[in-house]
Amino acid sequence: MNASQNNARRVAIICSHGGLDEAYPSLILANAARQSGIDAFVFFTFWGLDVITESKLDHLHVNMVGNPSAPVPTMLAGLPGMESLAGSMMMKQMKELELPTVREFLQILDEAGAELYACELAMKMFKREKKDLAKEVKDVITAGDFYDLAEGAQIIFT
Amino acid sequence: METKNVHVPGPEGKTQDHSLAALHARLDQLSADVTYLVERQRKIDDFLDDFGPIAKAMLNSTASRLDGYEKRGYFEMGREALGIVERVAEGFTPDDVRKLGGAVVGILETVRELTQPEVLKVASEAASVLQNAEEAAPIGIVGMVRATSDHDVQKGMSVMVEVMRQVGRAAAAVRDKRAASPMGQKKAKLDAVLGRRMGTQKSALGVERTLPPRPREAASKIAAPASKGPACATPAAPAATATVLDGVGFSADGHMTDASQWTRELGQKIATMQAVDMTDAHWKLVEVARKDFESTKTSPNIRRLTQITDVTTKDVYALFPKAPARTLAKIAGLPKPAGCL
């Protein structure tokens, strides 16, 4: 997969949000890229770190507040436990669709050859260490490293 | 006292004299006693003279107080209380009372808890609020929500929630106990015989309303594709034939348009074009893919392949490094895999 050598297509996906609905687009895009023979790597930063944090990735929530597509009025969306409820409901529906869970997805991406990176600054901010992350995460890198890696790649920000 | 001077001479004079002296002494004693008694009587008379008015006043006040009690209905209440006791005696069997005996300790403990000074203080403050209730300004939902940011209100809510939780638990325990008791079972049987609606204990605490059945259309719409076949993939319309090579039609993206035209030799040719060195493992996957296409009319994607066989995602990528599912579909003479997994 020496993409830069054989001039293959590459994508760099930046995942900066930790909601369940915000994690999936990044994961699906990365996976679809690999399936299409496109080299992919994902850079998890800020809240996106939750998607690869071992203790959080199994119960990501869905934020309903300020979301005009939410099935409940914003007035109610802010009630305690609502995002947790929405998250579990969405997970249930995804299960019905046989969609992989976030954990499975990380494993699939890893096996498919997509590379996952965590943002160093965000790690410091959230006081997380490499050992707190899922084992599929390849490295903790800086924004500068990201640009080095993303050379010649299309960058997708989610 | 004159007897003192009487002197009777005689042969027995000495003895008489002796008895007289004894009598004398006794008389002296008597006289002292009488003096004491008289003195005491006088003191009592004095005391009664003093005490009389006081006693009278006391009697008066007691009478008026009792009268007041009577007017205020204390005695009426007492009589009623007796009635209650009678009713209790009628209504409860000795067995109940024995059971109650066990609970008395609990009741007393509850009373003690309730009468702790701090608890009483809380109650009295709550009562004072209720007394001043008419001065309270009415608030709406917004006011209520705003009030929830107040620390004390939050504390109160937490206490209330805890109380409600305990009450709910106790109610559930009582319900379970009643249902389990012989009486409860009899009642349930009777209800079954009489055809009364079970489960809807209207008089009991915690009446549970049965919700009308919700239309499940929304859920079935989502579940529908999943029940038909693999995840995130719906059978795509057959692609239009773009080119024909050796009598075999290919679509614009390089997939055979008619899977039934496929032969192993053709597959080998396509594999060579795709730069895939076919091994037994490759052919096995091709077979699996073709079989799955027959049943689902869908070209399997990688997830589907890993689900219906024991190969891992890693294996699939190792066998077909570039776009595995697409390459596999091309070699197997199947259309492009649908879906995004």
Side-chain angles (χ1 to χ4, degrees), chain A residues 19-21 24 58-64 81-96 101:
Chain A
L20 191 65
D21 52 333
Y24 267 89
D58 282 328
H59 22 78
L60 296 179
H61 292 169
V62 178
N63 187 12
M64 293 285 188
M82 195 54 112
E83 80 264 28
S84 160
L85 177 79
S88 55
M89 276 178 72
M90 194 170 276
M91 275 197 213
K92 208 177 138 201
Q93 290 188 355
M94 285 174 169
K95 205 174 172 189
E96 279 176 15
T101 61

Side-chain angles (χ1 to χ4, degrees), chain A:
Chain A
M1 266 155 272
N2 295 327
S4 48
Q5 286 168 15
N6 57 25
N7 255 349
R9 237 178 117 186
R10 312 181 67 218
V11 288
I13 298 163
I14 303 171
C15 177
S16 66
H17 291 104
L20 191 65
D21 52 333
E22 293 151 321
Y24 267 89
S26 307
L27 299 173
I28 289 175
L29 280 176
N31 189 43
R34 286 305 301 131
Q35 287 190 346
S36 309
I38 302 170
D39 281 358
F41 70 92
V42 192
F43 184 62
F44 294 93
T45 183
F46 260 82
W47 308 113
L49 272 188
D50 282 1
V51 182
I52 49 168
T53 300
E54 193 64 39
S55 59
K56 304 219 173 200
L57 62 89
D58 282 328
H59 22 78
L60 296 179
H61 292 169
V62 178
N63 187 12
M64 293 285 188
V65 175
N67 177 0
S69 304
V72 291
T74 296
M75 266 296 282
L76 300 178
L79 291 176
M82 195 54 112
E83 80 264 28
S84 160
L85 177 79
S88 55
M89 276 178 72
M90 194 170 276
M91 275 197 213
K92 208 177 138 201
Q93 290 188 355
M94 285 174 169
K95 205 174 172 189
E96 279 176 15
L97 276 176
E98 293 177 41
L99 273 178
T101 61
V102 173
R103 187 176 288 279
E104 277 179 280
F105 233 133
L106 293 181
Q107 197 190 341
I108 288 171
L109 284 177
D110 184 52
E111 291 190 4
E115 293 171 2
L116 312 179
Y117 296 97
C119 170
E120 191 189 82
L121 188 61
M123 293 278 283
K124 278 184 190 158
M125 256 187 67
F126 293 112
K127 300 203 167 38
R128 282 178 202 162
E129 291 171 35
K130 179 80 168 68
K131 65 175 167 57
D132 301 327
L133 304 179
K135 63 179 190 308
E136 286 84 7
V137 177
K138 199 174 171 190
D139 206 355
V140 179
I141 61 169
T142 64
D145 296 336
F146 165 78
Y147 273 119
D148 290 345
L149 277 166
E151 194 183 351
Q154 291 164 311
I155 296 179
I156 303 169
F157 188 92
T158 62

Side-chain angles (χ1 to χ4, degrees), chain B residues 239-245 248-257:
Chain B
T241 305
T243 45
V244 179
L245 294 172
V248 182
F250 286 88
S251 66
D253 51 13
H255 292 267
M256 278 170 58
T257 45

Side-chain angles (χ1 to χ4, degrees), chain B residues 147-150 152-162 164:
Chain B
T148 56
S149 63
D150 184 271
D152 291 335
V153 172
Q154 283 173 355
K155 219 159 193 180
M157 287 198 295
S158 144
V159 170
M160 284 294 183
V161 165
E162 191 51 36
M164 287 199 286

